[in-house]
Amino acid sequence: MNDNAQWKERGDKVFIGTYSRFPAAMVRGEGCRLWDANGREYLDFLSGIAVCALGHCHPAVTEAIQRQAGSLLHVSNLFYTVPQIELAELLVANSFADKVFMANSGAEANEAALKLARIHSGPGRYEVISLLGSFHGRTLATVAATGQPRFHQGFEPLPQGFVHAEFGDPAAIEALVNDRTCAILCEPLQGESGVRPLEPEYLKAIREICDRRNLLLIFDEVQTGLGRTGTLFAHEQLGVTPDIMTLAKALGNGLPIGAMLTTDKIAASLTAGTHASTFGGNPVAAAAGAAVLRLILADGFLAGVRERGAYFAEQLAGVARQFPELATGVRGRGMLLGLVLTEKGIGLGARIVEEMFARGTLINFAGNRVLRFVPPLVVSPAEIDTLIERLKAVLADLAA
Ligand SMILES: *Cc1c(COP(=O)(O)O)cnc(C)c1O
């Protein structure tokens, strides 16, 4: 049996170097725990980047996957399948939307949303306004929509029709609206660039611009959706409803699946042949998705996320108070939390993540600015306490 070092060597030999990885080959997961090839245990506050929301290998999801894998793996979207219909019904019954398009990832769900915004708005109206600091994916169109130059570098010229507004100021968005504009795209809370929530007043102002200027409002809830912020969708607690919403990450609890949701009226613009995906809504991934939604929608689940999220945020605020030279406070919603660092803390961010890893604890350094915590939504108060204890130990070492 190979150990971590051997797996790392074999992997590095054959993979294109797009990722800088932790030096561990993960072999097993259960709940909020992972085990590597050396048999080392980790407390996972990354959950595959907000994907394994119900914890690793949740029995009900595993059962749904196994059952579906034993009866039908794939037929393409030339046919109906039961899991895809059940998943779409659950999404529609629990959201503003009437219709769903299934994809395989967040970027693909956003691509579908961008194509819908263009075709629905008609010839000459193709421009999408997104926000600086946003993250919408790594395909050419979604990277163009992403408001962070570091993701653009080397890939120009990017697809046309994407402009970025300064974060936080509705007037900056309005100044970019013109005859070509078809939509405003944003995350209700920016995840990748450092856990930056958009205030309800700001989102309401964006909605108002869309209504007044006849633009579509697209919410990228790929990271914030499906209970992560304490409500099924983040926008529910912000009093603003989009015209189009995208989902992915947590939808399959680990299986690749994405979805683009919209209203009947807007959906009518995507007619047969205008968009497609071979694997989109694959029966096994959709069966996992339906199981995930049933669990998240079960009585008390979201209330529990809110309660433990509030407890976690309080504990993190305590860490910031204890180490004012390294951290200034906590921000985020539900179980999507960031510890905001001082300049000194930012300089140590990568070290903090490494030291946490050395103590068997997985977190990350979002946007090279904020320590991001996205544990499985089922994380227990005891596991939160363990995380906090280890974080304090690491910060005390580094502050010394
Ligand atoms: C992760 C993420 C994406 C991209 O999803 P992929 O599945 O990696 O393509 C898009 N938008 C947001 C907000 C994300 O967090």
mmCIF file of all heavy atoms in Angstrom, residues 9-50:
data_model
loop_
_atom_site.group_PDB
_atom_site.id
_atom_site.type_symbol
_atom_site.label_atom_id
_atom_site.label_comp_id
_atom_site.label_asym_id
_atom_site.label_seq_id
_atom_site.Cartn_x
_atom_site.Cartn_y
_atom_site.Cartn_z
ATOM 1 N N GLU A 9 4.106 11.665 -5.228
ATOM 2 C CA GLU A 9 5.099 11.546 -6.293
ATOM 3 C C GLU A 9 4.462 11.006 -7.569
ATOM 4 O O GLU A 9 4.687 11.521 -8.670
ATOM 5 C CB GLU A 9 6.230 10.628 -5.819
ATOM 6 C CG GLU A 9 7.452 10.690 -6.723
ATOM 7 C CD GLU A 9 8.488 9.628 -6.365
ATOM 8 O OE1 GLU A 9 8.599 9.292 -5.152
ATOM 9 O OE2 GLU A 9 9.156 9.144 -7.292
ATOM 10 N N ARG A 10 3.629 9.973 -7.429
ATOM 11 C CA ARG A 10 2.962 9.404 -8.620
ATOM 12 C C ARG A 10 2.027 10.414 -9.256
ATOM 13 O O ARG A 10 1.971 10.555 -10.470
ATOM 14 C CB ARG A 10 2.204 8.132 -8.219
ATOM 15 C CG ARG A 10 3.111 6.948 -8.001
ATOM 16 C CD ARG A 10 2.359 5.744 -7.469
ATOM 17 N NE ARG A 10 1.364 5.223 -8.403
ATOM 18 C CZ ARG A 10 0.658 4.105 -8.186
ATOM 19 N NH1 ARG A 10 0.843 3.412 -7.077
ATOM 20 N NH2 ARG A 10 -0.229 3.696 -9.064
ATOM 21 N N GLY A 11 1.268 11.128 -8.411
ATOM 22 C CA GLY A 11 0.318 12.111 -8.931
ATOM 23 C C GLY A 11 1.016 13.257 -9.648
ATOM 24 O O GLY A 11 0.625 13.639 -10.755
ATOM 25 N N ASP A 12 2.057 13.781 -9.008
ATOM 26 C CA ASP A 12 2.760 14.931 -9.593
ATOM 27 C C ASP A 12 3.377 14.584 -10.948
ATOM 28 O O ASP A 12 3.561 15.441 -11.803
ATOM 29 C CB ASP A 12 3.839 15.442 -8.633
ATOM 30 C CG ASP A 12 3.222 16.147 -7.419
ATOM 31 O OD1 ASP A 12 2.012 16.452 -7.471
ATOM 32 O OD2 ASP A 12 3.929 16.366 -6.422
ATOM 33 N N LYS A 13 3.721 13.313 -11.133
ATOM 34 C CA LYS A 13 4.307 12.875 -12.391
ATOM 35 C C LYS A 13 3.296 12.936 -13.538
ATOM 36 O O LYS A 13 3.666 13.143 -14.685
ATOM 37 C CB LYS A 13 4.796 11.429 -12.228
ATOM 38 C CG LYS A 13 6.189 11.198 -12.825
ATOM 39 C CD LYS A 13 6.682 9.810 -12.534
ATOM 40 C CE LYS A 13 7.782 9.825 -11.502
ATOM 41 N NZ LYS A 13 8.048 8.520 -10.914
ATOM 42 N N VAL A 14 2.017 12.739 -13.238
ATOM 43 C CA VAL A 14 1.052 12.555 -14.332
ATOM 44 C C VAL A 14 -0.012 13.657 -14.430
ATOM 45 O O VAL A 14 -0.735 13.729 -15.428
ATOM 46 C CB VAL A 14 0.336 11.187 -14.217
ATOM 47 C CG1 VAL A 14 1.314 10.064 -14.546
ATOM 48 C CG2 VAL A 14 -0.265 10.984 -12.834
ATOM 49 N N PHE A 15 -0.116 14.510 -13.398
ATOM 50 C CA PHE A 15 -1.148 15.553 -13.468
ATOM 51 C C PHE A 15 -0.586 16.839 -14.054
ATOM 52 O O PHE A 15 0.544 17.221 -13.737
ATOM 53 C CB PHE A 15 -1.687 15.891 -12.069
ATOM 54 C CG PHE A 15 -2.546 14.809 -11.475
ATOM 55 C CD1 PHE A 15 -2.407 14.467 -10.134
ATOM 56 C CD2 PHE A 15 -3.500 14.152 -12.232
ATOM 57 C CE1 PHE A 15 -3.188 13.478 -9.568
ATOM 58 C CE2 PHE A 15 -4.292 13.163 -11.665
ATOM 59 C CZ PHE A 15 -4.136 12.824 -10.334
ATOM 60 N N ILE A 16 -1.385 17.518 -14.858
ATOM 61 C CA ILE A 16 -1.082 18.890 -15.240
ATOM 62 C C ILE A 16 -1.156 19.710 -13.954
ATOM 63 O O ILE A 16 -2.051 19.496 -13.128
ATOM 64 C CB ILE A 16 -2.092 19.378 -16.299
ATOM 65 C CG1 ILE A 16 -1.873 18.605 -17.611
ATOM 66 C CG2 ILE A 16 -1.970 20.888 -16.516
ATOM 67 C CD1 ILE A 16 -2.874 18.882 -18.698
ATOM 68 N N GLY A 17 -0.218 20.633 -13.799
ATOM 69 C CA GLY A 17 -0.041 21.260 -12.490
ATOM 70 C C GLY A 17 -0.980 22.399 -12.164
ATOM 71 O O GLY A 17 -0.556 23.449 -11.682
ATOM 72 N N THR A 18 -2.298 22.214 -12.367
ATOM 73 C CA THR A 18 -3.234 23.314 -12.114
ATOM 74 C C THR A 18 -3.531 23.522 -10.634
ATOM 75 O O THR A 18 -4.104 24.537 -10.257
ATOM 76 C CB THR A 18 -4.574 23.080 -12.844
ATOM 77 O OG1 THR A 18 -4.985 21.749 -12.585
ATOM 78 C CG2 THR A 18 -4.430 23.295 -14.336
ATOM 79 N N TYR A 19 -3.200 22.552 -9.794
ATOM 80 C CA TYR A 19 -3.555 22.680 -8.376
ATOM 81 C C TYR A 19 -2.316 22.643 -7.501
ATOM 82 O O TYR A 19 -1.390 21.887 -7.764
ATOM 83 C CB TYR A 19 -4.470 21.528 -7.945
ATOM 84 C CG TYR A 19 -5.699 21.383 -8.792
ATOM 85 C CD1 TYR A 19 -5.814 20.347 -9.711
ATOM 86 C CD2 TYR A 19 -6.737 22.305 -8.703
ATOM 87 C CE1 TYR A 19 -6.950 20.222 -10.517
ATOM 88 C CE2 TYR A 19 -7.863 22.188 -9.499
ATOM 89 C CZ TYR A 19 -7.972 21.154 -10.400
ATOM 90 O OH TYR A 19 -9.068 21.046 -11.180
ATOM 91 N N SER A 20 -2.307 23.467 -6.446
ATOM 92 C CA SER A 20 -1.314 23.245 -5.402
ATOM 93 C C SER A 20 -2.050 22.509 -4.290
ATOM 94 O O SER A 20 -2.988 23.027 -3.692
ATOM 95 C CB SER A 20 -0.718 24.560 -4.915
ATOM 96 O OG SER A 20 -1.727 25.451 -4.574
ATOM 97 N N ARG A 21 -1.642 21.277 -4.087
ATOM 98 C CA ARG A 21 -2.400 20.396 -3.197
ATOM 99 C C ARG A 21 -1.721 20.230 -1.849
ATOM 100 O O ARG A 21 -0.501 20.316 -1.753
ATOM 101 C CB ARG A 21 -2.531 19.000 -3.841
ATOM 102 C CG ARG A 21 -3.201 18.987 -5.196
ATOM 103 C CD ARG A 21 -3.197 17.554 -5.737
ATOM 104 N NE ARG A 21 -3.407 17.500 -7.170
ATOM 105 C CZ ARG A 21 -4.532 17.065 -7.741
ATOM 106 N NH1 ARG A 21 -5.532 16.649 -7.024
ATOM 107 N NH2 ARG A 21 -4.635 17.055 -9.054
ATOM 108 N N PHE A 22 -2.526 19.942 -0.843
ATOM 109 C CA PHE A 22 -1.969 19.475 0.432
ATOM 110 C C PHE A 22 -1.260 18.136 0.157
ATOM 111 O O PHE A 22 -1.727 17.361 -0.679
ATOM 112 C CB PHE A 22 -3.083 19.239 1.462
ATOM 113 C CG PHE A 22 -3.736 20.490 1.987
ATOM 114 C CD1 PHE A 22 -4.957 20.927 1.490
ATOM 115 C CD2 PHE A 22 -3.136 21.217 3.005
ATOM 116 C CE1 PHE A 22 -5.567 22.078 1.990
ATOM 117 C CE2 PHE A 22 -3.739 22.357 3.516
ATOM 118 C CZ PHE A 22 -4.951 22.793 3.001
ATOM 119 N N PRO A 23 -0.158 17.855 0.890
ATOM 120 C CA PRO A 23 0.578 16.611 0.632
ATOM 121 C C PRO A 23 -0.090 15.404 1.285
ATOM 122 O O PRO A 23 0.501 14.724 2.118
ATOM 123 C CB PRO A 23 1.955 16.890 1.248
ATOM 124 C CG PRO A 23 1.673 17.857 2.346
ATOM 125 C CD PRO A 23 0.503 18.685 1.911
ATOM 126 N N ALA A 24 -1.330 15.151 0.923
ATOM 127 C CA ALA A 24 -2.055 14.010 1.484
ATOM 128 C C ALA A 24 -2.963 13.405 0.421
ATOM 129 O O ALA A 24 -3.583 14.135 -0.344
ATOM 130 C CB ALA A 24 -2.891 14.449 2.687
ATOM 131 N N ALA A 25 -2.995 12.096 0.382
ATOM 132 C CA ALA A 25 -3.932 11.388 -0.492
ATOM 133 C C ALA A 25 -5.075 10.895 0.389
ATOM 134 O O ALA A 25 -4.882 10.038 1.256
ATOM 135 C CB ALA A 25 -3.239 10.223 -1.178
ATOM 136 N N MET A 26 -6.254 11.453 0.186
ATOM 137 C CA MET A 26 -7.378 11.089 1.038
ATOM 138 C C MET A 26 -8.004 9.781 0.541
ATOM 139 O O MET A 26 -8.202 9.603 -0.654
ATOM 140 C CB MET A 26 -8.426 12.200 1.042
ATOM 141 C CG MET A 26 -7.898 13.501 1.642
ATOM 142 S SD MET A 26 -7.358 13.275 3.356
ATOM 143 C CE MET A 26 -6.850 14.941 3.764
ATOM 144 N N VAL A 27 -8.281 8.896 1.481
ATOM 145 C CA VAL A 27 -8.793 7.584 1.074
ATOM 146 C C VAL A 27 -10.183 7.269 1.642
ATOM 147 O O VAL A 27 -10.875 6.400 1.133
ATOM 148 C CB VAL A 27 -7.823 6.445 1.459
ATOM 149 C CG1 VAL A 27 -6.533 6.566 0.656
ATOM 150 C CG2 VAL A 27 -7.524 6.427 2.952
ATOM 151 N N ARG A 28 -10.589 7.985 2.695
ATOM 152 C CA ARG A 28 -11.883 7.640 3.297
ATOM 153 C C ARG A 28 -12.460 8.859 3.992
ATOM 154 O O ARG A 28 -11.709 9.708 4.499
ATOM 155 C CB ARG A 28 -11.700 6.507 4.315
ATOM 156 C CG ARG A 28 -12.998 5.873 4.785
ATOM 157 C CD ARG A 28 -12.723 4.542 5.482
ATOM 158 N NE ARG A 28 -12.148 4.697 6.824
ATOM 159 C CZ ARG A 28 -12.860 4.984 7.910
ATOM 160 N NH1 ARG A 28 -14.163 5.165 7.826
ATOM 161 N NH2 ARG A 28 -12.273 5.091 9.080
ATOM 162 N N GLY A 29 -13.780 8.957 4.008
ATOM 163 C CA GLY A 29 -14.426 10.045 4.715
ATOM 164 C C GLY A 29 -15.683 9.569 5.412
ATOM 165 O O GLY A 29 -16.359 8.645 4.948
ATOM 166 N N GLU A 30 -15.985 10.185 6.541
ATOM 167 C CA GLU A 30 -17.218 9.867 7.268
ATOM 168 C C GLU A 30 -17.591 11.091 8.087
ATOM 169 O O GLU A 30 -16.775 11.576 8.886
ATOM 170 C CB GLU A 30 -16.978 8.653 8.171
ATOM 171 C CG GLU A 30 -18.255 8.075 8.769
ATOM 172 C CD GLU A 30 -17.961 6.974 9.787
ATOM 173 O OE1 GLU A 30 -17.053 6.145 9.543
ATOM 174 O OE2 GLU A 30 -18.634 6.979 10.829
ATOM 175 N N GLY A 31 -18.778 11.626 7.869
ATOM 176 C CA GLY A 31 -19.194 12.815 8.607
ATOM 177 C C GLY A 31 -18.234 13.966 8.361
ATOM 178 O O GLY A 31 -17.950 14.314 7.221
ATOM 179 N N CYS A 32 -17.706 14.540 9.437
ATOM 180 C CA CYS A 32 -16.766 15.666 9.310
ATOM 181 C C CYS A 32 -15.321 15.208 9.376
ATOM 182 O O CYS A 32 -14.424 16.006 9.632
ATOM 183 C CB CYS A 32 -17.037 16.694 10.411
ATOM 184 S SG CYS A 32 -18.701 17.350 10.371
ATOM 185 N N ARG A 33 -15.087 13.924 9.170
ATOM 186 C CA ARG A 33 -13.718 13.377 9.283
ATOM 187 C C ARG A 33 -13.249 12.805 7.947
ATOM 188 O O ARG A 33 -14.040 12.264 7.187
ATOM 189 C CB ARG A 33 -13.681 12.232 10.305
ATOM 190 C CG ARG A 33 -14.331 12.552 11.616
ATOM 191 C CD ARG A 33 -13.326 13.011 12.649
ATOM 192 N NE ARG A 33 -14.027 13.840 13.645
ATOM 193 C CZ ARG A 33 -13.430 14.385 14.685
ATOM 194 N NH1 ARG A 33 -12.130 14.229 14.878
ATOM 195 N NH2 ARG A 33 -14.119 15.138 15.528
ATOM 196 N N LEU A 34 -11.930 12.929 7.733
ATOM 197 C CA LEU A 34 -11.285 12.318 6.569
ATOM 198 C C LEU A 34 -10.078 11.539 7.069
ATOM 199 O O LEU A 34 -9.498 11.874 8.105
ATOM 200 C CB LEU A 34 -10.800 13.401 5.600
ATOM 201 C CG LEU A 34 -11.822 14.047 4.665
ATOM 202 C CD1 LEU A 34 -11.187 15.224 3.956
ATOM 203 C CD2 LEU A 34 -12.354 13.031 3.657
ATOM 204 N N TRP A 35 -9.678 10.525 6.321
ATOM 205 C CA TRP A 35 -8.468 9.768 6.624
ATOM 206 C C TRP A 35 -7.599 9.694 5.380
ATOM 207 O O TRP A 35 -8.119 9.487 4.274
ATOM 208 C CB TRP A 35 -8.816 8.356 7.098
ATOM 209 C CG TRP A 35 -9.407 8.353 8.464
ATOM 210 C CD1 TRP A 35 -8.736 8.189 9.642
ATOM 211 C CD2 TRP A 35 -10.798 8.522 8.814
ATOM 212 N NE1 TRP A 35 -9.622 8.256 10.708
ATOM 213 C CE2 TRP A 35 -10.887 8.454 10.226
ATOM 214 C CE3 TRP A 35 -11.967 8.711 8.076
ATOM 215 C CZ2 TRP A 35 -12.088 8.576 10.904
ATOM 216 C CZ3 TRP A 35 -13.176 8.843 8.740
ATOM 217 C CH2 TRP A 35 -13.229 8.786 10.153
ATOM 218 N N ASP A 36 -6.275 9.894 5.562
ATOM 219 C CA ASP A 36 -5.372 9.847 4.419
ATOM 220 C C ASP A 36 -4.713 8.469 4.313
ATOM 221 O O ASP A 36 -4.973 7.570 5.128
ATOM 222 C CB ASP A 36 -4.353 11.001 4.473
ATOM 223 C CG ASP A 36 -3.323 10.855 5.578
ATOM 224 O OD1 ASP A 36 -3.171 9.748 6.143
ATOM 225 O OD2 ASP A 36 -2.661 11.867 5.883
ATOM 226 N N ALA A 37 -3.831 8.346 3.295
ATOM 227 C CA ALA A 37 -3.219 7.044 3.001
ATOM 228 C C ALA A 37 -2.300 6.573 4.127
ATOM 229 O O ALA A 37 -1.976 5.391 4.207
ATOM 230 C CB ALA A 37 -2.452 7.118 1.681
ATOM 231 N N ASN A 38 -1.884 7.502 4.994
ATOM 232 C CA ASN A 38 -1.069 7.104 6.154
ATOM 233 C C ASN A 38 -1.932 6.752 7.363
ATOM 234 O O ASN A 38 -1.413 6.520 8.450
ATOM 235 C CB ASN A 38 -0.117 8.241 6.559
ATOM 236 C CG ASN A 38 0.935 8.511 5.497
ATOM 237 O OD1 ASN A 38 0.842 7.994 4.381
ATOM 238 N ND2 ASN A 38 1.914 9.324 5.817
ATOM 239 N N GLY A 39 -3.255 6.802 7.174
ATOM 240 C CA GLY A 39 -4.147 6.483 8.280
ATOM 241 C C GLY A 39 -4.366 7.649 9.229
ATOM 242 O O GLY A 39 -4.955 7.497 10.302
ATOM 243 N N ARG A 40 -3.919 8.845 8.830
ATOM 244 C CA ARG A 40 -4.064 10.019 9.668
ATOM 245 C C ARG A 40 -5.483 10.572 9.548
ATOM 246 O O ARG A 40 -6.051 10.603 8.465
ATOM 247 C CB ARG A 40 -3.073 11.070 9.170
ATOM 248 C CG ARG A 40 -2.656 11.988 10.226
ATOM 249 C CD ARG A 40 -1.322 12.642 9.917
ATOM 250 N NE ARG A 40 -1.294 13.759 10.808
ATOM 251 C CZ ARG A 40 -1.558 15.001 10.444
ATOM 252 N NH1 ARG A 40 -1.752 15.297 9.188
ATOM 253 N NH2 ARG A 40 -1.601 15.946 11.346
ATOM 254 N N GLU A 41 -6.046 11.032 10.692
ATOM 255 C CA GLU A 41 -7.418 11.546 10.701
ATOM 256 C C GLU A 41 -7.420 13.072 10.623
ATOM 257 O O GLU A 41 -6.577 13.728 11.228
ATOM 258 C CB GLU A 41 -8.104 11.092 11.995
ATOM 259 C CG GLU A 41 -9.566 11.520 12.089
ATOM 260 C CD GLU A 41 -10.201 11.068 13.401
ATOM 261 O OE1 GLU A 41 -10.169 9.859 13.699
ATOM 262 O OE2 GLU A 41 -10.730 11.935 14.120
ATOM 263 N N TYR A 42 -8.362 13.613 9.880
ATOM 264 C CA TYR A 42 -8.510 15.069 9.757
ATOM 265 C C TYR A 42 -9.922 15.488 10.151
ATOM 266 O O TYR A 42 -10.894 14.801 9.843
ATOM 267 C CB TYR A 42 -8.276 15.529 8.319
ATOM 268 C CG TYR A 42 -6.897 15.239 7.800
ATOM 269 C CD1 TYR A 42 -6.617 13.999 7.245
ATOM 270 C CD2 TYR A 42 -5.885 16.189 7.880
ATOM 271 C CE1 TYR A 42 -5.349 13.707 6.771
ATOM 272 C CE2 TYR A 42 -4.612 15.904 7.397
ATOM 273 C CZ TYR A 42 -4.356 14.670 6.846
ATOM 274 O OH TYR A 42 -3.103 14.394 6.376
ATOM 275 N N LEU A 43 -10.000 16.632 10.786
ATOM 276 C CA LEU A 43 -11.277 17.290 11.022
ATOM 277 C C LEU A 43 -11.492 18.234 9.833
ATOM 278 O O LEU A 43 -10.678 19.129 9.590
ATOM 279 C CB LEU A 43 -11.209 18.064 12.342
ATOM 280 C CG LEU A 43 -12.479 18.784 12.795
ATOM 281 C CD1 LEU A 43 -13.632 17.807 12.966
ATOM 282 C CD2 LEU A 43 -12.215 19.509 14.110
ATOM 283 N N ASP A 44 -12.564 18.022 9.085
ATOM 284 C CA ASP A 44 -12.715 18.677 7.785
ATOM 285 C C ASP A 44 -13.640 19.892 7.861
ATOM 286 O O ASP A 44 -14.856 19.745 7.879
ATOM 287 C CB ASP A 44 -13.255 17.654 6.775
ATOM 288 C CG ASP A 44 -13.364 18.242 5.387
ATOM 289 O OD1 ASP A 44 -12.860 19.365 5.172
ATOM 290 O OD2 ASP A 44 -13.959 17.580 4.523
ATOM 291 N N PHE A 45 -13.071 21.081 7.868
ATOM 292 C CA PHE A 45 -13.865 22.316 7.821
ATOM 293 C C PHE A 45 -13.797 22.961 6.439
ATOM 294 O O PHE A 45 -13.939 24.171 6.288
ATOM 295 C CB PHE A 45 -13.422 23.293 8.920
ATOM 296 C CG PHE A 45 -14.132 23.044 10.231
ATOM 297 C CD1 PHE A 45 -14.028 21.818 10.871
ATOM 298 C CD2 PHE A 45 -14.933 24.039 10.807
ATOM 299 C CE1 PHE A 45 -14.705 21.579 12.066
ATOM 300 C CE2 PHE A 45 -15.618 23.807 12.007
ATOM 301 C CZ PHE A 45 -15.498 22.580 12.636
ATOM 302 N N LEU A 46 -13.551 22.126 5.428
ATOM 303 C CA LEU A 46 -13.558 22.577 4.027
ATOM 304 C C LEU A 46 -14.687 21.896 3.263
ATOM 305 O O LEU A 46 -15.248 22.458 2.331
ATOM 306 C CB LEU A 46 -12.238 22.171 3.372
ATOM 307 C CG LEU A 46 -11.142 23.205 3.194
ATOM 308 C CD1 LEU A 46 -9.957 22.572 2.492
ATOM 309 C CD2 LEU A 46 -11.668 24.384 2.384
ATOM 310 N N SER A 47 -14.966 20.651 3.657
ATOM 311 C CA SER A 47 -15.993 19.799 3.038
ATOM 312 C C SER A 47 -15.915 19.808 1.513
ATOM 313 O O SER A 47 -16.938 19.949 0.838
ATOM 314 C CB SER A 47 -17.397 20.158 3.542
ATOM 315 O OG SER A 47 -17.786 21.464 3.178
ATOM 316 N N GLY A 48 -14.699 19.652 0.978
ATOM 317 C CA GLY A 48 -14.567 19.611 -0.476
ATOM 318 C C GLY A 48 -14.969 20.926 -1.103
ATOM 319 O O GLY A 48 -15.566 20.952 -2.175
ATOM 320 N N ILE A 49 -14.678 22.017 -0.424
ATOM 321 C CA ILE A 49 -15.079 23.388 -0.799
ATOM 322 C C ILE A 49 -16.610 23.502 -0.836
ATOM 323 O O ILE A 49 -17.227 23.706 -1.880
ATOM 324 C CB ILE A 49 -14.447 23.869 -2.123
ATOM 325 C CG1 ILE A 49 -12.962 23.465 -2.182
ATOM 326 C CG2 ILE A 49 -14.599 25.391 -2.243
ATOM 327 C CD1 ILE A 49 -12.221 23.954 -3.409
ATOM 328 N N ALA A 50 -17.208 23.351 0.325
ATOM 329 C CA ALA A 50 -18.653 23.544 0.495
ATOM 330 C C ALA A 50 -19.487 22.564 -0.334
ATOM 331 O O ALA A 50 -20.600 22.868 -0.747
ATOM 332 C CB ALA A 50 -19.051 24.989 0.170
#
